[in-house]
Amino acid sequence: QVQLVESGGGLVQAGGSLRLSCAASGSIFSINTMGWYRQAPGKQRELVAASSSFGNINYRDSVKGRFTISRDNAKNTVTLQMNGLKPDDTAVYYCNVKDSSGNYWGQGTQVTVSS
């Protein structure tokens, strides 16, 4: 069993910044991918950014140059630094972790960007 605890969501004005953090705990064996997804009302959940154990990083095109994902493998944490936020970034953001045993999700944290 793996538990993911997220923090850092909130309300910001367009152009502002937020930092989302996620800590994984429990029976963790060789985490592969750590990443962030988001889902807006009436929309499908979509990948925001992901980091693999091999060092490969993928970003959604719309966040490239604005968001930065980082991970601390020793602490099993992943962070999403979000700069230059836009109203279209408004969504519930979910931490995601994949290891050899399964695919795990956090509870979600709301990010709201006002214009």
Side-chain angles (χ1 to χ4, degrees):
Q1 176 180 300
V2 175
Q3 296 183 74
L4 306 179
V5 179
E6 301 160 318
S7 62
L11 172 65
V12 297
Q13 195 170 26
S17 298
L18 285 172
R19 180 189 293 266
L20 306 183
S21 296
C22 174
S25 62
S27 300
I28 304 171
F29 297 94
S30 187
I31 291 178
N32 184 5
T33 301
M34 303 188 78
W36 293 91
Y37 290 71
R38 67 187 182 188
Q39 186 168 24
K43 304 292 185 179
Q44 298 296 310
R45 188 171 298 186
E46 62 187 26
L47 173 71
V48 179
S51 176
S52 77
S53 60
F54 302 99
N56 297 320
I57 297 175
N58 291 321
Y59 293 98
R60 185 174 192 83
D61 286 345
S62 62
V63 309
K64 289 180 179 177
R66 300 188 295 120
F67 292 8
T68 302
I69 188 171
S70 60
R71 62 190 288 177
D72 186 331
N73 292 326
K75 296 183 179 297
N76 290 325
T77 60
V78 61
T79 298
L80 185 69
Q81 177 66 46
M82 304 185 293
N83 299 325
L85 284 162
K86 305 175 180 179
D88 284 347
D89 295 318
T90 295
V92 178
Y93 284 68
Y94 297 90
C95 180
N96 174 256
V97 168
K98 295 180 176 66
D99 69 6
S100 61
S101 297
N103 187 7
Y104 307 96
W105 295 91
Q107 80 284 357
T109 184
Q110 177 71 47
V111 171
T112 302
V113 184
S114 65
S115 58

